[in-house]
């Protein structure tokens, strides 16, 4: 039973009893009976005033409690002129103002945090209490798409730990797991930071300094040695000595060319981009390598659209990339029959696929392919893929080289 009902019932019973007693006591004396009735009416009026003073604050509290329950912090009460009621209204209004300000501040912080996470250059993945992904920002989506599902599941480690993951020896990421407390229980989140640019820059600075020093010393020595050998060859009459001197000159020239290849890698200029017909660029690169492919009975198949597709790139550098990719594909074949290299130009997104059915690339080799000067060839220098990497990174293009399935190896360039 509500307090208001109890109060009304109590006042009603009391006054019915008093009316009955006054009638019983003063029924012989009309004046006293009328006077008692006046006092009873006065009592009823006073009880009504007490009801207003006592029940109204309770009703006010109930209305305020319902508003707070509905999270409506815009309802405020006006003062009535009664001291106790006004003090209650003043405290309630102050509390509502504080709650509204606090909610506004939290909403602003939450909005700012959401924006910060979404635009962060670091990939952020939020997990629930069961370590299931519930949300991730755009950068995390981009990074996770580069991992296959199985490899991602393997990258599990305790909270507070971090590790470095590398893809194809080019893209390197620092993955760190941490947690925060929500309602007394820990929730984990994962941050993925791309280290590729910093690592590539550090690598280039390191090997660039060494190559420049080696090129300087070798070129200085080769020039002087060749001059002496040429002079000796002019005055030497014995055929055996002439042959030996000629071989020494050839070896020096080969060493000089070897060092120039390394020096060219360090001196690679910034791309001078222009609008290019990518189909025409592919045609010219394939035409250049066609003779070498035919020597090894390798067919090159082009799958290009009937219309023109344009890219913004450095013509010479991109042509160098295509030629090196085709050269590596040709060299991947042994004496295989039905050897085929297929070049496809796809759109949405725009990408070029160089596919061949030559030797497969193992997972162990795949992660080292674009490591500077790494080569699986007997006399390889590891310059070709390093040069490809430098050019494509400078063009800010995505790329990968892997065996998609047995008998199908693909070099993919994504614009």
């Amino acid at each position: 039973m509500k307090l208001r009902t109890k109060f009304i019932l109590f006042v009603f019973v009391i006054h019915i009893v008093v009316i009955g007693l006054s009638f019983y006591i003063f029924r012989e004396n009309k004046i006293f009976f009328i006077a008692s009735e006046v006092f009873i009416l006065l009592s009823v009026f006073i009880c009504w005033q007490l009801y207003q003073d006592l029940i109204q604050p309770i009703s006010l509290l109930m209305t305020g409690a319902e508003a707070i329950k509905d999270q409506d912090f815009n309802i405020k009460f006006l003062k009535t002129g009664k001291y106790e009621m006004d003090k209650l209204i003043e405290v309630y209004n102050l509390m509502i103002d504080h709650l509204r300000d606090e909610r506004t501040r939290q909403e602003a912080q939450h909005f700012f945090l959401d924006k910060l996470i979404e635009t962060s250059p670091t990939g952020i993945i939020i997990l629930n209490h069961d370590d299931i992904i519930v949300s991730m920002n755009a950068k995390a989506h981009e990074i996770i798409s580069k991992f296959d599902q199985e490899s991602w599941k393997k990258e599990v480690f305790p909270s507070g730990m971090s590790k470095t993951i590398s893809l194809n020896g080019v893209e390197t990421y620092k993955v760190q797991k941490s947690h925060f407390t929500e309602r007394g229980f820990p929730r984990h989140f994962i941050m993925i930071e791309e280290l590729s640019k910093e690592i590539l820059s550090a690598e280039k600075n390191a090997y660039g300094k060494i190559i420049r020093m080696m090129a300087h010393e070798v070129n200085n020595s080769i020039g002087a040695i060749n001059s002496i050998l040429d002079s000796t060859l002019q005055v030497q009459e014995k055929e055996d000595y002439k042959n030996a001197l000629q071989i020494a000159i050839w070896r020096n020239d080969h060493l000089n060319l070897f060092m120039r290849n390394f020096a060219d890698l360090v001196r690679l200029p910034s791309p001078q981009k222009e609008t290019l017909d990518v189909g025409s660029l592919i045609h010219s690169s394939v035409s250049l390598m066609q003779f070498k492919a035919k020597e090894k009975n390798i067919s090159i198949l082009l799958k290009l659209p009937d219309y023109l597709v344009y890219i913004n790139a450095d013509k010479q550098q991109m042509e160098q990339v295509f030629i090196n990719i085709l050269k590596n594909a040709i060299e991947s074949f042994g004496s295989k029959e039905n050897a085929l290299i297929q070049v496809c130009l796809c759109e949405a997104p725009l990408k070029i696929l160089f596919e061949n059915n030559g030797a497969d690339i193992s997972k162990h080799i795949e992660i080292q392919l674009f490591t500077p000067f790494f080569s699986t060839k007997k006399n390889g220098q590891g310059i070709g893929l390093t040069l490809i990497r430098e050019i494509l990174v400078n063009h800010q293009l995505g790329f990968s080289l892997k065996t998609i399935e047995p008998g199908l190896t693909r070099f993919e360039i994504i614009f």
Side-chain angles (χ1 to χ4, degrees):
M1 187 180 295
K2 294 183 178 180
L3 182 61
R4 179 176 57 185
T5 306
K6 290 181 179 179
F7 182 82
I8 293 173
L9 184 61
F10 173 75
V11 171
F12 177 77
V13 171
I14 289 294
H15 283 81
I16 288 296
V17 171
V18 171
I19 290 172
L21 289 174
S22 64
F23 176 77
Y24 180 75
I25 295 172
F26 301 114
R27 61 183 174 179
E28 300 296 334
N29 192 329
K30 303 294 183 181
I31 296 176
F32 283 109
F33 178 74
I34 293 172
S36 67
E37 293 302 314
V38 171
F39 278 111
I40 290 172
L41 291 174
L42 182 63
S43 174
V44 170
F45 176 76
I46 294 172
C47 286
W48 174 252
Q49 291 295 319
L50 286 175
Y51 171 81
Q52 293 290 333
D53 293 341
L54 292 175
I55 299 302
Q56 190 175 0
I58 295 175
S59 299
L60 184 70
L61 286 175
M62 292 297 295
T63 304
E66 288 295 325
I68 294 173
K69 180 181 177 182
D70 295 334
Q71 297 187 1
D72 183 358
F73 302 136
N74 295 314
I75 294 179
K76 296 177 71 175
F77 298 113
L78 297 175
K79 292 184 178 181
T80 62
K82 298 178 181 178
Y83 178 78
E84 292 84 358
M85 178 69 74
D86 289 349
K87 291 297 289 184
L88 181 64
I89 290 173
E90 183 180 349
V91 171
Y92 173 82
N93 288 343
L94 285 174
M95 180 181 68
I96 285 295
D97 288 338
H98 177 73
L99 289 174
R100 186 175 59 253
D101 292 344
E102 185 66 21
R103 184 173 70 173
T104 303
R105 186 177 66 84
Q106 287 187 355
E107 286 178 349
Q109 287 182 343
H110 183 72
F111 178 78
F112 171 73
L113 184 61
D114 283 347
K115 282 290 184 184
L116 187 64
I117 290 174
E118 189 59 32
T119 58
S120 172
T122 300
I124 301 175
I125 302 173
I126 310 295
L127 310 176
N128 63 12
H129 297 294
D130 297 320
D131 281 349
I132 297 173
I133 296 175
V134 292
S135 65
M136 64 176 74
N137 65 356
K139 185 63 178 179
H141 271 291
E142 177 188 334
I143 295 172
I144 292 298
S145 65
K146 299 176 183 179
F147 290 82
D148 62 89
Q149 192 66 25
E150 292 304 317
S151 65
W152 174 248
K153 288 179 180 177
K154 294 176 183 176
E155 305 299 339
V156 178
F157 47 94
S159 177
M161 299 291 291
S162 64
K163 67 188 301 183
T164 302
I165 303 172
S166 179
L167 296 178
N168 292 338
V170 180
E171 297 172 90
T172 305
Y173 301 94
K174 179 184 178 183
V175 183
Q176 184 172 357
K177 189 175 184 181
S178 190
H179 71 276
F180 61 96
T181 302
E182 182 185 52
R183 300 176 184 177
F185 296 95
R187 279 187 62 180
H188 292 102
F189 64 94
I190 297 172
M191 295 184 295
I192 310 175
E193 182 180 1
E194 187 171 1
L195 304 177
S196 305
K197 292 181 180 178
E198 290 80 0
I199 292 175
L200 292 177
S201 177
E203 280 182 354
K204 189 171 183 178
N205 289 337
Y207 69 66
K209 184 176 181 181
I210 295 171
I211 289 173
R212 283 191 293 269
M213 182 182 66
M214 290 170 59
H216 177 74
E217 294 299 324
V218 170
N219 290 335
N220 285 348
S221 300
I222 285 176
I225 293 171
N226 271 356
S227 179
I228 294 171
L229 290 173
D230 281 333
S231 299
T232 306
L233 187 61
Q234 297 298 323
V235 300
Q236 184 56 249
E237 296 180 357
K238 290 186 178 181
E239 196 65 32
D240 290 343
Y241 285 107
K242 282 187 175 183
N243 290 336
L245 290 172
Q246 189 63 58
I247 291 171
I249 292 172
W250 287 343
R251 291 305 300 168
N252 271 352
D253 289 339
H254 178 75
L255 180 59
N256 193 25
L257 178 62
F258 177 79
M259 287 310 304
R260 278 206 308 270
N261 287 337
F262 278 103
D264 288 343
L265 180 61
V266 177
R267 293 195 298 263
L268 185 68
S270 298
Q272 302 300 312
K273 295 184 179 181
E274 57 182 305
T275 303
L276 303 173
D277 173 13
V278 66
S280 175
L281 200 61
I282 292 172
H283 268 293
S284 63
S285 302
V286 170
S287 298
L288 191 64
M289 300 303 295
Q290 194 73 258
F291 180 77
K292 189 172 183 179
K294 285 182 178 179
E295 283 184 336
K296 300 185 70 173
N297 295 317
I298 300 171
S299 301
I300 301 180
L301 176 63
L302 295 181
K303 287 189 174 181
L304 306 178
D306 298 331
Y307 47 88
L308 299 180
V309 178
Y310 294 97
I311 61 172
N312 194 31
D314 186 304
K315 182 178 181 179
Q316 291 183 344
Q317 290 187 9
M318 289 307 298
E319 195 170 48
Q320 197 169 11
V321 166
F322 296 165
I323 290 170
N324 277 348
I325 293 173
L326 291 169
K327 178 176 174 290
N328 284 343
I330 291 170
E331 292 174 353
S332 71
F333 293 99
S335 57
K336 182 182 178 70
E337 295 182 359
N338 300 320
L340 175 65
I341 297 173
Q342 185 169 272
V343 184
C344 303
L345 179 58
C346 309
E347 291 190 277
L350 178 61
K351 56 186 176 181
I352 305 173
L353 307 179
F354 294 85
E355 299 178 338
N356 69 79
N357 58 351
D360 292 346
I361 300 173
S362 67
K363 291 293 182 182
H364 172 70
I365 298 296
E366 181 185 314
I367 61 175
Q368 303 179 71
L369 283 173
F370 293 98
T371 302
F373 316 122
F374 172 81
S375 178
T376 57
K377 302 170 187 174
K378 185 177 180 181
N379 298 315
Q381 301 168 13
I383 296 177
L385 285 177
T386 305
L387 182 62
I388 290 173
R389 184 189 79 171
E390 292 295 324
I391 292 173
L392 295 180
V393 167
N394 289 344
H395 279 76
Q396 298 180 337
L397 302 179
F399 59 98
S400 65
L401 172 57
K402 63 177 71 175
T403 295
I404 305 299
E405 58 185 56
L408 178 59
T409 299
R410 175 186 294 167
F411 196 118
E412 181 175 13
I413 302 175
I414 305 172
F415 291 86

